[in-house]
Amino acid sequence: MSFSPAACPRLIVKVGSSLLVDPAGEIRRDWLASLVADIAGRVSAGQQVAVVSSGAIALGARRLKLAKGGRASLEDAQAAAATGQIALAGTWAALLHEQGLTAAQMLLTLDDLEDRRRYLNAAATLDRLLRLNVVPIINENDSVATEEIRFGDNDRLAARVAGAAMAQGVILLSDVDGLYTANPVTDPAATLIPRVETIAAIEGMADGSSRSGMGSGGMLAKVEAARIATAAGAHLAIAGGHGLHPLQRFADSGHGTVFVAPASAPARKAWLRGGLTARGAIHIDAGAVDALRAGKSLLPAGAQRIDGRFARGDLVLLVAPDGSQIARGLSEYGDADAALVIGRRSDELGDLLGYAPRSALVHRNHMALL
């Protein structure tokens, strides 16, 4: 099974600092415009694309005249990120607008994707933006993140975003064009590995150095990103980003390294399906059972009764009229609010709750059928 960007319904593209920012600390606008044109082509063909973009620290360091690219201290990095993020987001938004696309900005920390409720919030926002054909521009929130709550590089952030967005593929555009049998900079006999079926087969080949010195990644981070992405059911490709139209060039040539996700269900679905202790249950009607089996979310109108005490993000059982367990999922509501909305139409929920409601009691992205 090959991985083609054109065949992937939902794709995460990661852009490294060394591609986006030149050595003088300025955005490589012509290169970025060509990438945005590639993205616009994907969106017009029906693909949903989110971008994880490095570059804020490098841009901010140039504007603030900070030593060591803004990485001399955590405080310098945070100040550079806060300054550079404006320029970075503004450039992405302007170039996407020229292609008739709308950009959105999301800044995330490790805690945002580790905490279940914040994870659900991030996942719901990503899903809605992508369904609206908005292109989310995502970066680590370096202006507030500390060493204890940082991803540390955007390769791993891209992989985690793929899981939250239920993406089928990730492309890491990099200053290297894939994983080699040895470091190609120091070993002329090194050869490209085009396909990796299991991470265990290539452990020990990667090193942790960043090729350019501008980024915070390295091949070890990319292999770890591949481990995270494939566990969530997403293929991951490492492709060279130098030169104009890098996405199109990868689609045409296939030159790079593809880490293949297993054919089994994503790890999150397996986690939900496994022997976890549910905090409560939502009893549903026969129509909702059919809808769930057809791949739909559980809407309030299909729910009949709530059992147990649970908060938003807790695991709940979905129970059919005959008492059988149909699915497990993460509730979008706490039990008190869930009890208010069961059996009600979606257009009634705002008045009942007094706030903008979630569209589903349990979203299909956070549900596993039993």
Side-chain angles (χ1 to χ4, degrees), residues 31 61 151 201 236 247 278 280 302 312 368:
W31 178 89
F151 288 96
L236 181 140
L247 272 187
R312 182 169 185 261

Side-chain angles (χ1 to χ4, degrees), residues 12-13 15 20 32 35-36 39 49-55 85 87-96 101-108 126 129-130 134-140 154 157 161:
I12 311 300
V13 178
V15 181
L20 193 139
L32 184 56
L35 173 60
V36 169
I39 292 170
V49 182
V51 177
V52 174
S53 176
S54 302
Q85 190 62 44
L88 181 66
T91 302
W92 274 106
L95 290 175
L96 285 163
L101 295 173
T102 300
Q105 178 178 255
M106 290 186 69
L107 298 177
L108 300 170
L126 276 168
L129 289 170
L130 290 167
V134 173
V135 180
I137 307 300
I138 303 157
N139 199 358
E140 184 161 14
N154 275 350
L157 174 59
V161 166

Side-chain angles (χ1 to χ4, degrees), residues 74 77-83 85 107 140-146:
L74 178 60
Q78 290 172 324
T83 304
Q85 190 62 44
L107 298 177
E140 184 161 14
N141 195 356
D142 289 303
S143 62
V144 300
T146 65

Side-chain angles (χ1 to χ4, degrees), residues 67-90:
K68 297 182 179 179
R71 298 183 186 275
S73 68
L74 178 60
E75 291 80 6
D76 277 2
Q78 290 172 324
T83 304
Q85 190 62 44
I86 293 175
L88 181 66

Side-chain angles (χ1 to χ4, degrees), residues 289-325:
V289 171
D290 292 339
L292 265 57
R293 287 176 172 161
K296 306 294 186 181
S297 300
L298 174 63
L299 302 180
Q304 297 179 312
R305 189 176 85 248
I306 303 295
D307 289 337
R309 299 294 301 274
F310 51 89
R312 182 169 185 261
D314 282 345
L315 184 73
V316 295
L317 295 171
L318 305 184
V319 182
D322 64 2
S324 62
Q325 296 179 10

Side-chain angles (χ1 to χ4, degrees), residues 2 35 57 133 154 181 191 211 239 248 297 326 342 370:
S2 60
L35 173 60
I57 292 177
N133 281 333
N154 275 350
T181 54
T191 58
R211 176 88 168 256
Q248 191 58 50
S297 300
I326 296 299
I342 57 172
L370 300 176

Side-chain angles (χ1 to χ4, degrees), residues 265-276 315 328 367-370:
R268 179 171 54 203
K269 296 286 188 179
W271 179 81
L272 290 170
R273 194 177 287 113
L276 301 170
L315 184 73
R328 293 172 180 261
M367 179 196 310
L369 297 178
L370 300 176

